[in-house]
């Protein structure tokens, strides 16, 4: 056995994150043969047509206008009061659910997931999410001694598979007495799927039936990291109202992030928003998560909090931000339409796309396909059941061209 000093619970395979590894390889290729000859669809961030990271002027002008002490000072453990109010304002945009709402700041959306999962699951618990999912859900759970079970995201008609959801939901809650379910919508990573209002109703109505047994505890974690890049800012938020006046043994936690909607990836700022019909449960949420903040990172990025607070309270500044964001939303929509059109023309099977940064392609042997695609200077991310193409990072022209390359490689490998 190799020598080891680390604790047993901290022994993990020696491996690099596959997404960052492929991204590095794509960058080497760009330097070697030129960016115009490479399609780098690995990056989960908004890039311009020349492959440069987009950073919104309205956001960074606000950051640079702050006084040094506004950036340098410690923040409150649960977040500054004006930041917490700003989070509710920009996240819900008038669609606040009825009930008791509490906000706790976190380092990005990942921090919100960590806080929620640690405080609302027990060691050894199984967490439920869809079979197409963002892999760090599993990593965060694994770190805390939790595991992930999956329901099938799509049925044969390409719609939300409510029957599979119900089956896995009941199986887990019957065994554990409680359940923590992660729903990533709208703009699901990695498929770009967004649940319809009817699909939300079906899911919540089923949960309410289960909740009639008061001994059951139901927690929904709703990851809305991509909500600001959904076509209609207001229509995409109407579903928030559905989390109001639910039975008190159903708690909803919304994972808010500044990373995508404010191009603030590296500032690491987000929040967990707790929604309950019971004030005691809402307060318990606040103080439990605040304790975890102190135990992990103490407090978050004060400068990023100030940026959101200033944007949210100033109508003119927020208007400038929305106008700038809409320009990039239109760009993203145009790219996604090009990819979908290109896929249709060559009969490439893709999963239903509605919004967001990514489109997924189901296939056998995704790692092998992904490696073969690098020989065509096309870099994307292999998943368990297929490939993830980041339309957020690829020009419209390349989005149109990529489906044929992918189709040809998949077909060649299947022969």
């Amino acid at each position: 056995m190799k020598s080891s000093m680390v604790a047993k619970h901290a022994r993990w395979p020696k491996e690099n994150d596959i997404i960052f590894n492929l991204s590095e390889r794509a960058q080497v290729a760009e330097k070697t043969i030129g960016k115009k000859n490479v399609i780098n669809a690995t990056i989960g961030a908004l890039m311009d047509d020349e492959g440069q990271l987009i950073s919104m002027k309205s956001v960074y002008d606000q950051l640079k206008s702050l006084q040094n002490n506004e950036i340098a000072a410690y923040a409150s453990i649960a977040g500054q009061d004006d930041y917490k109010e700003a989070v509710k304002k920009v996240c819900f945009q008038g669609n606040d659910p009825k009930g008791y709402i509490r906000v706790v700041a976190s380092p990005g959306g990942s921090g919100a997931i960590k806080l929620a999962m640690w405080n609302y699951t027990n060691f050894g618990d199984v967490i439920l999410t869809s079979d197409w999912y963002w892999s760090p859900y599993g990593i965060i759970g694994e770190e805390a001694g939790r595991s992930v079970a999956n329901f099938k995201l799509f049925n044969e008609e390409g719609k939300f598979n409510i029957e599979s959801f119900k089956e896995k939901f009941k199986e887990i809650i019957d065994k554990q007495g409680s359940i923590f379910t992660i729903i990533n919508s709208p703009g699901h990573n990695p498929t770009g799927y967004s649940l319809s209002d009817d699909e939300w109703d079906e899911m919540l109505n089923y949960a309410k039936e289960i909740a009639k047994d008061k001994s059951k505890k139901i927690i929904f974690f709703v990851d809305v990291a991509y909500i600001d890049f959904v076509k209609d800012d207001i229509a995409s938020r109407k579903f928030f109202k559905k989390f109001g006046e639910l039975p008190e043994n159903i708690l909803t936690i919304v994972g808010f992030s500044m990373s995508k909607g404010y191009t603030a990836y590296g500032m690491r700022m987000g929040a967990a928003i707790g929604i309950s019909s019971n004030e005691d449960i809402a307060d318990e949420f606040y103080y439990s998560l605040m304790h975890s903040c102190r135990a992990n990172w103490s407090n978050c990025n004060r400068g990023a909090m100030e940026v959101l607070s200033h944007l949210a309270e100033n109508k003119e500044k927020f208007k400038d931000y929305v106008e700038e964001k809409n320009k990039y939303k239109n760009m993203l929509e145009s790219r996604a339409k090009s990819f979908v059109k290109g896929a249709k023309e060559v009969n490439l099977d893709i999963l239903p796309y509605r919004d967001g940064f990514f489109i997924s392609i189901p296939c056998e042997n995704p790692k092998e396909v992904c490696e073969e695609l690098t020989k065509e200077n096309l870099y994307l991310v292999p998943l368990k059941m297929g490939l993830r193409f980041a339309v957020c990072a690829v020009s419209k022209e390349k989005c149109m061209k990529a489906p044929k390359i992918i189709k040809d490689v998949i077909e060649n490998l299947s022969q």
Side-chain angles (χ1 to χ4, degrees):
M1 181 181 174
K2 291 183 179 180
S3 299
S4 174
M5 291 286 286
V6 77
K8 287 182 181 179
H9 70 266
R11 291 176 187 165
W12 306 108
K14 295 178 181 178
E15 57 187 20
N16 295 317
D17 186 287
I18 193 166
I19 297 175
F20 287 98
N21 176 262
L22 282 161
S23 181
E24 287 171 2
R25 289 172 62 188
Q27 289 171 44
V28 169
E30 287 173 339
K31 289 177 182 177
T32 305
I33 63 173
K35 285 187 176 182
K36 67 178 182 180
N37 299 310
V38 177
I39 301 176
N40 183 0
T42 65
I43 304 169
L46 207 60
M47 313 291 283
D48 66 20
D49 288 350
E50 282 68 52
Q52 297 298 316
L53 182 70
I54 290 170
S55 52
M56 291 186 193
K57 186 176 184 299
S58 55
V59 173
Y60 289 94
D61 280 355
Q62 180 59 59
L63 176 66
K64 292 170 186 176
S65 75
L66 298 176
Q67 298 297 313
N68 288 349
N69 59 4
E70 289 183 282
I71 300 171
Y74 282 124
S76 300
I77 292 172
Q80 299 301 99
D81 287 343
D82 54 356
Y83 172 73
K84 291 183 285 188
E85 288 303 311
V87 166
K88 288 191 286 187
K89 187 174 181 179
V90 302
C91 186
F92 296 141
Q93 294 197 22
N95 292 287
D96 304 49
K98 289 183 179 179
Y100 299 95
I101 300 172
R102 304 289 184 267
V103 179
V104 177
S106 65
S110 300
I113 297 163
K114 172 75 173 181
L115 286 174
M117 198 181 290
W118 177 256
N119 285 282
Y120 287 94
T121 60
N122 295 303
F123 185 83
D125 272 2
V126 173
I127 291 153
L128 180 63
T129 194
S130 56
D131 51 355
W132 293 86
Y133 69 99
W134 187 52
S135 60
Y137 293 155
I139 296 169
I140 292 167
E142 188 178 42
E143 176 87 356
R146 282 72 162 160
S147 60
V148 169
N150 306 112
F151 64 89
K152 291 181 181 178
L153 180 56
F154 299 110
N155 59 24
E156 291 180 357
E157 287 81 44
K159 295 180 180 179
F160 183 75
N161 196 331
I162 188 65
E163 295 308 319
S164 179
F165 171 81
K166 288 178 179 179
E167 182 183 344
K168 293 301 292 187
F169 191 97
K170 189 170 191 312
E171 177 187 317
I172 293 169
I173 201 165
D174 282 352
K175 184 177 179 180
Q176 294 179 174
S178 65
I179 189 165
F180 185 99
T181 301
I182 303 175
I183 303 294
N184 179 199
S185 179
H188 176 261
N189 177 0
T191 69
Y193 191 74
S194 297
L195 269 68
S196 68
D197 284 349
D198 288 344
E199 289 166 340
W200 272 116
D201 286 339
E202 284 188 293
M203 191 190 309
L204 292 173
N205 286 338
Y206 182 71
K208 284 187 273 190
E209 281 297 314
I210 299 291
K212 287 177 180 177
D213 180 346
K214 298 300 181 184
S215 69
K216 306 294 187 187
K217 297 178 181 179
I218 298 169
I219 296 93
F220 281 105
F221 185 92
V222 185
D223 184 347
V224 298
Y226 297 90
I227 196 167
D228 286 303
F229 278 90
V230 175
K231 297 175 188 69
D232 187 324
D233 275 346
I234 305 303
S236 66
R237 288 166 161 81
K238 287 181 179 178
F239 78 99
F240 283 131
K241 290 186 175 181
K242 299 179 186 296
F243 305 130
E245 300 179 317
L246 292 174
E248 65 179 38
N249 54 337
I250 299 179
L251 173 68
T252 306
I253 304 172
V254 175
F256 168 82
S257 173
M258 285 181 66
S259 297
K260 312 304 186 298
Y262 296 82
T263 61
Y265 313 99
M267 286 202 278
R268 307 310 307 140
M269 200 62 238
I273 308 169
I275 306 162
S276 177
S277 59
N278 181 299
E279 188 173 14
D280 290 338
I281 288 171
D283 287 341
E284 178 186 62
F285 163 88
Y286 182 81
Y287 288 104
S288 295
L289 267 63
M290 186 166 67
H291 183 276
S292 289
C293 290
R294 189 56 166 149
N296 284 280
W297 45 76
S298 189
N299 60 90
C300 292
N301 187 324
R302 177 67 175 264
M305 289 191 207
E306 295 294 340
V307 168
L308 191 71
S309 299
H310 282 289
L311 289 177
E313 72 185 15
N314 187 304
K315 288 183 179 180
E316 284 303 311
K317 287 182 179 180
F318 195 73
K319 180 183 175 186
D320 290 343
Y321 157 73
V322 170
E323 287 177 356
E324 185 178 13
K325 182 185 70 171
N326 285 345
K327 178 177 70 175
Y328 295 124
K329 279 170 67 171
N330 292 337
M331 180 190 76
L332 179 66
E333 184 179 0
S334 177
R335 290 175 176 181
K337 283 182 176 178
S338 291
F339 189 93
V340 172
K341 182 182 177 185
K344 189 174 182 180
E345 287 179 358
V346 298
N347 202 27
L348 174 68
D349 185 22
I350 63 172
L351 295 179
Y353 173 87
R354 290 183 179 172
D355 305 287
F357 278 27
F358 308 107
I359 294 176
S360 287
I361 304 107
C363 72
E364 301 291 332
N365 306 316
K367 286 186 179 179
E368 185 183 354
V369 173
C370 194
E371 192 61 40
E372 197 66 22
L373 282 166
T374 65
K375 297 175 184 177
E376 304 296 327
N377 299 312
L378 198 167
Y379 295 80
L380 35 64
V381 175
L383 307 171
K384 285 185 179 180
M385 300 190 298
L387 312 168
R388 190 192 79 175
F389 188 97
V391 290
C392 59
V394 179
S395 69
K396 180 180 177 180
E397 178 189 0
K398 289 180 179 179
C399 281
M400 190 71 187
K401 186 167 71 171
K404 186 178 188 311
I405 301 171
I406 298 168
K407 175 75 172 179
D408 290 345
V409 166
I410 291 174
E411 284 190 343
N412 289 338
L413 286 175
S414 65
Q415 290 175 357

